[in-house]
Amino acid sequence: MLRLVESPAEREALEPRSPRWSLDEIAREGARQMLLTALEAEVATYLEAHRGTRDEKGHALVVRNGKGRERQVTLGSGTVEIRAPRVNDRRHVDGERQRFTSQILPPYMRRSPKVAAVLPVLYLRGLSTGDFREALPVLLGEESAAGLSPTNIARMTNQWQEDYQAFKKRSLADRDYVYIWVDGIHVNVRLEEDRLCLLVMIGARPDGTKELIAVEDGYRESAESWLFVLRDLKARGMQAPVVAVGDGALGFWAAVREVWPETREQRDWVHKLGNVLDKLPKRLRPKAKEALHEIMYAETRAGAEEALNAFSATYEAKYAKAVESLRRDEQMLLTFFDFPAEHWKHLRTSNIVESPFATVRLRQRVTKGPGSRNKGLTMAYKLLDMSQKCWRRLNGHHLLPLVRAGATFVDGVQVERKINHEEERIAA
């Protein structure tokens, strides 16, 4: 006669037993099994590709050769033990012995690239070296944190300084930057009285990718400091960019006119809006901002000039300084109309420089500033170097080679050639 099992003890006794693994253990075991499966598939593909290769006796030259010694590999889910399959490849090509090397798990690899990247990311984003001993075991587990010590961080920062020095000396003869964005960023230095002024330049290459060009120490964004930077870049092979974008207060403009006089100047609209609005009463700023946006986002140069004249007529009588601030850079504010409309959003502002510096400012707040100017420069360089991997390409990047070639654009649209007044009269 059947009866229902009501007791929890009885129910547990009838259930199949399974190992009581934690979630982390399950994740690690799953990662281990997936890695082994991928390694086996990689070897199988290699064997299949060379299945027909045989010696004079008909023996296969590429065969399985058991498994390698067990080694620990640190993954994002923790440290796992792996015995990778091996291949005996007896082929010779041009007198050189061929060898199978796993692309998934190369020889001597002990950490996945993602885990190896954890250290600089955590440090640069604000985790001090003394915090690693406590933080890493929590994030990666006790075994995974082995070898990831404050000492390793010290070694890495030394290596970053070497990388930065190499970055400053690299040749630019093989590089072409159609547009550049420049800015001066001030950073507090803990062990010095003067603030560190970082002179930063980012460029857009003909394929639309953005690239860090320079990170240098300057003195209050002065023309002399920028002149030193530009002369150095030119000496290393950098040619004149077509357009430079930056704040009107920079000493950069005097320097660029001397080094690359052919480079067009585009003033940063975000900075200009702030400068103009600061000279108006708070009650008028919302309305004035709308009027300034009409200039900034006009569809044509004529429309922008009309909106600019309207702004002047409205505010000049009582707030002449605000209008004068706008008029001072009038032509340089409208340079973007002579370039593809797809590029206007990129050319109107130097935010391309300022956005990546949010991480620099975060690191500065956590550590109360770097200990020296050299460390401040190195920190800024490494943060920008890491972040540039995520920078997106410019809109309409296919038009950049045309810009470099000197194509003519009127109100954002390419024209075949300029028609002068004499040609218009003859045509009529």
Side-chain angles (χ1 to χ4, degrees):
M1 179 177 178
L2 295 176
R3 70 179 183 86
L4 296 177
V5 178
E6 297 180 355
S7 168
E10 290 179 309
R11 187 181 298 113
E12 183 178 355
L14 292 177
E15 289 178 350
R17 294 190 177 275
S18 61
R20 296 187 179 277
W21 286 351
S22 68
L23 182 60
D24 290 334
E25 290 172 329
I26 293 172
R28 280 197 296 271
E29 179 60 21
R32 190 182 74 85
Q33 294 291 346
M34 290 180 68
L35 178 56
L36 285 173
T37 300
L39 292 171
E40 290 287 353
E42 184 183 35
V43 165
T45 301
Y46 189 84
L47 294 174
E48 179 65 24
H50 303 289
R51 184 176 59 176
T53 308
R54 298 183 176 271
D55 61 15
E56 62 277 4
K57 296 183 179 180
H59 298 148
L61 292 176
V62 183
V63 296
R64 291 184 63 97
N65 189 26
K67 293 187 177 182
R69 295 176 60 184
E70 189 172 78
R71 57 170 154 157
Q72 292 186 335
V73 181
T74 300
L75 310 172
S77 56
T79 299
V80 298
E81 295 179 347
I82 292 292
R83 291 187 63 193
R86 297 190 306 184
V87 171
N88 182 14
D89 191 338
R90 296 187 290 120
R91 294 175 302 127
H92 287 79
V93 177
D94 296 331
E96 184 176 348
R97 175 73 180 268
Q98 301 301 294
R99 295 183 183 278
F100 167 75
T101 300
S102 173
Q103 300 300 307
I104 299 172
L105 188 64
Y108 311 113
M109 176 182 276
R110 291 295 181 268
R111 301 189 190 103
S112 74
K114 291 291 185 181
V115 172
V118 165
L119 287 173
V121 170
L122 291 178
Y123 175 72
L124 290 170
R125 299 290 171 150
L127 190 65
S128 64
T129 56
D131 293 331
F132 272 81
R133 187 172 288 106
E134 297 180 4
L136 291 177
V138 174
L139 291 171
L140 301 175
E142 291 290 344
E143 294 179 348
S144 305
L148 307 183
S149 65
T151 302
N152 286 344
I153 293 296
R155 292 196 188 101
M156 280 196 305
T157 55
N158 291 335
Q159 180 60 51
W160 294 341
Q161 292 184 33
E162 295 178 12
D163 294 343
Y164 175 56
Q165 293 304 317
F167 168 79
K168 291 172 60 176
K169 296 176 182 178
R170 76 198 188 286
S171 171
L172 297 173
D174 61 341
R175 290 288 191 267
D176 182 20
Y177 302 105
V178 182
Y179 301 141
I180 62 171
W181 294 263
V182 297
D183 206 350
I185 311 294
H186 293 272
V187 177
N188 290 324
V189 178
R190 188 167 65 250
L191 302 182
E192 300 183 27
E193 293 184 3
D194 293 335
R195 300 179 73 197
L196 171 63
C197 181
L198 298 167
L199 305 182
V200 182
M201 181 184 296
I202 293 173
R205 302 187 62 191
D207 63 353
T209 57
K210 289 176 284 196
E211 185 172 287
L212 180 64
I213 302 175
V215 183
E216 292 285 353
D217 187 1
Y219 180 72
R220 298 181 181 177
E221 308 174 39
S222 67
E224 291 80 6
S225 297
W226 276 111
L227 195 58
F228 174 83
V229 173
L230 297 187
R231 284 173 175 168
D232 177 62
L233 294 174
K234 187 175 183 179
R236 288 192 276 128
M238 180 173 167
Q239 64 175 312
V242 178
V243 181
V245 184
D247 179 12
L250 290 174
F252 169 82
W253 302 111
V256 77
R257 289 170 199 143
E258 179 175 335
V259 179
W260 292 315
E262 64 270 40
T263 297
R264 299 284 301 276
E265 301 176 18
Q266 171 64 52
R267 294 296 187 270
D268 181 353
W269 266 97
V270 174
H271 281 90
K272 180 56 67 177
L273 260 64
N275 293 337
V276 173
L277 294 176
D278 282 345
K279 296 173 176 58
L280 293 171
K282 289 185 179 181
R283 59 184 175 81
L284 297 178
R285 289 177 187 175
K287 194 71 175 179
K289 187 175 182 179
E290 291 181 11
L292 290 169
H293 279 173
E294 289 185 15
I295 308 171
M296 180 179 176
Y297 296 115
E299 294 293 326
T300 64
R301 180 185 288 269
E305 292 174 344
E306 183 179 348
L308 197 153
N309 291 333
F311 182 90
S312 299
T314 302
Y315 297 102
E316 190 168 24
K318 291 185 178 181
Y319 309 103
K321 289 185 178 180
V323 174
E324 193 276 331
S325 176
L326 181 63
R327 288 286 189 184
R328 185 189 308 125
D329 297 323
E330 177 179 347
Q331 292 305 313
M332 281 74 80
L333 284 167
L334 304 181
T335 299
F336 68 88
F337 283 109
D338 295 336
F339 295 91
E342 291 88 342
H343 300 169
W344 287 2
K345 65 177 293 185
H346 306 294
L347 294 175
R348 283 189 289 236
T349 175
S350 60
N351 190 52
I352 284 175
V353 176
E354 292 198 358
S355 291
F357 255 85
T359 55
V360 177
R361 292 190 174 95
L362 170 62
R363 176 69 186 159
Q364 174 195 330
R365 286 195 298 270
V366 172
T367 62
K368 298 181 175 61
S372 68
R373 304 181 79 81
N374 185 47
K375 286 188 177 181
L377 283 164
T378 302
M379 178 188 72
Y381 157 71
K382 191 60 182 179
L383 281 166
L384 291 169
D385 180 52
M386 291 175 64
S387 67
Q388 70 178 327
K389 299 173 184 177
C390 303
W391 294 346
R392 57 183 295 270
R393 288 204 295 180
L394 267 62
N395 294 345
H397 51 83
H398 62 284
L399 297 170
L400 284 165
L402 293 175
V403 173
R404 170 54 81 186
T408 300
F409 291 83
V410 176
D411 292 332
V413 179
Q414 184 183 5
V415 296
E416 292 298 323
R417 62 188 177 91
K418 290 183 177 180
I419 300 178
N420 60 36
H421 294 302
E422 181 65 19
E423 289 176 327
E424 288 180 339
R425 187 186 64 78
I426 295 174

